Amino acid sequence: QLVESGGGSAQPGGSLGLSCVVSGYAERHNCMAWFRQPPGQERVAVAATYRSGGGTWYGSPVKGRFTISHDNAKNTAYLQMNSLQPEDTAMYYCAAVRCTLSTGLRISNYYAWGQGTQVTVS
């Protein structure tokens, strides 16, 4: 299972951090990804990274403001969100996936999702 923590409320220009711990799971995924879903909208990917390092991808709205990382020893993915804006308000989900990042984000399989954590910027 994937267990998320972090999130909460922030003012515009502020920062928040999210964590996602992977446990009790057959690790077939090679990537961890973060998605977000604003109210009434579709869930979209915002960042992804190889578990082993060596590559990251960011969606255009968050590039330069968000940083994804992964700690293999702790089986934990992180999303550091800086310079937050009201349009970043959404439910954020982590996902264990199989992906390639060489030509943009290409996800071939989804293995597990976190429960979601709310981020509100106002």
Side-chain angles (χ1 to χ4, degrees):
Q1 63 176 3
L2 276 59
V3 179
E4 301 178 30
S5 60
S9 298
Q11 294 183 343
S15 298
L16 288 172
L18 306 180
S19 299
C20 175
V21 180
V22 181
S23 62
Y25 175 68
E27 299 177 353
R28 293 170 291 176
H29 60 292
N30 69 326
C31 294
M32 292 296 297
W34 287 94
F35 292 73
R36 69 185 182 187
Q37 186 168 19
Q41 300 184 38
E42 294 184 351
R43 190 177 301 186
V44 296
V46 295
T49 183
Y50 291 121
R51 287 174 56 203
S52 59
T56 57
W57 172 90
Y58 296 93
S60 297
V62 307
K63 195 173 297 184
R65 300 188 297 121
F66 289 13
T67 302
I68 188 172
S69 60
H70 184 264
D71 186 329
N72 267 332
K74 296 181 179 179
N75 276 337
T76 301
Y78 304 93
L79 186 68
Q80 179 63 36
M81 304 180 291
N82 298 328
S83 301
L84 285 164
Q85 300 301 319
E87 51 266 34
D88 295 318
T89 295
M91 187 72 78
Y92 283 72
Y93 299 89
C94 63
V97 301
R98 176 153 292 277
C99 83
T100 58
L101 303 177
S102 56
T103 57
L105 175 62
R106 299 287 185 266
I107 295 176
S108 58
N109 215 335
Y110 294 82
Y111 294 107
W113 288 92
Q115 80 280 10
T117 185
Q118 178 68 38
V119 171
T120 302
V121 185
S122 63

